Amino acid sequence: GIGYGGSCFPKDLDAFINISEKLGYNFELLKAAKEINQQQKFFFLNKIKDALWIIKDKNIGVLGLSFKPNTDDIRSAPSIDIVRLLQMEGAKIKVYDPCAMGKAKDVLDKVKFCQDPYDVCRGSDCLLILTEWDEFKELDFLKMKKLLKRPLIIDGRNIYDAEKMEKLGFTYIGIGRKG
């Protein structure tokens, strides 16, 4: 996926690394896990670049901002970093999250906060899935396809079945599997 976030796991990982160093042990496995987690955001960004070629001035829709479903917690959420990286590339971002929009408004600038997932799709050059909310699994895909400029979904959480999405006419790109 696009990596882990939240307030507990990243902090605990850093604490374990620090404790092991104080005890004279170089815990390479934990350091590698932390590094890989950071790299996943750039890996995902490269998938977007490969699919769109040019990100500048593209309208990119984002579903999910919280670091996990069923929370409004955006602390260390990979989605926030990904949105900022896309903005640095010149993208125009539209977002929707069932719970985290209020907190996201405090940390994200120049983002259009949408009323629902379909508003995110309307006129977007592609759609990114960044949090695996159950409600995103139950969307009307044919409606989404009509609203998107191009039926392109880049799924950072692998919530959809690739074969099903392709049969519906989407270009579907997941993480760590076909596409």
Side-chain angles (χ1 to χ4, degrees):
I2 59 172
Y4 59 79
S7 63
C8 296
F9 189 69
K11 178 182 62 154
D12 291 346
L13 185 66
D14 287 340
F16 284 130
I17 291 169
N18 191 358
I19 290 167
S20 67
E21 286 174 349
K22 285 182 180 178
L23 294 172
Y25 181 70
N26 186 8
F27 210 145
E28 289 293 329
L29 179 63
L30 293 183
K31 290 178 181 178
K34 182 177 178 178
E35 179 62 27
I36 290 167
N37 188 61
Q38 287 293 25
Q39 290 173 2
Q40 285 305 105
K41 298 168 201 168
F42 296 98
F43 176 73
F44 189 71
L45 180 65
N46 285 332
K47 282 196 172 269
I48 299 166
K49 287 179 179 181
D50 288 346
L52 291 176
W53 293 13
I54 298 169
I55 291 179
K56 185 174 174 35
D57 295 324
K58 292 289 194 312
N59 294 301
I60 298 179
V62 172
L63 293 182
L65 294 169
S66 59
F67 83 93
K68 68 178 184 177
N70 304 315
T71 184
D72 65 352
D73 195 345
I74 58 168
R75 290 176 289 180
S76 298
S79 58
I80 302 301
D81 291 335
I82 290 168
V83 166
R84 289 178 176 151
L85 289 168
L86 289 167
Q87 287 176 316
M88 288 179 2
E89 296 277 341
K92 299 170 189 166
I93 308 294
K94 297 169 25 171
V95 301
Y96 172 76
D97 186 284
C99 292
M101 302 263 275
K103 289 186 176 179
K105 287 178 182 177
D106 293 336
V107 299
L108 291 176
D109 294 323
K110 298 178 183 171
V111 168
K112 181 181 180 195
F113 291 91
C114 296
Q115 296 298 313
D116 59 54
Y118 303 108
D119 191 22
V120 169
C121 292
R122 188 172 290 108
S124 291
D125 293 289
C126 76
L127 180 66
L128 310 180
I129 310 297
L130 301 184
T131 310
E132 62 274 25
W133 285 92
D134 283 341
E135 82 173 66
F136 298 160
K137 298 173 187 173
E138 305 299 325
L139 295 172
D140 180 339
F141 299 115
L142 295 178
K143 181 176 181 179
M144 290 169 56
K145 185 178 170 190
K146 288 177 185 174
L147 292 170
L148 289 164
K149 277 187 191 175
R150 177 179 167 196
L152 171 62
I153 296 177
I154 307 171
D155 186 351
R157 299 299 186 180
N158 290 332
I159 67 171
Y160 301 132
D161 177 85
E163 191 174 305
K164 176 184 175 186
M165 297 309 285
E166 288 168 5
K167 283 183 182 173
L168 289 170
F170 287 92
T171 300
Y172 178 81
I173 301 168
I175 301 292
R177 62 183 187 183
K178 182 182 175 192

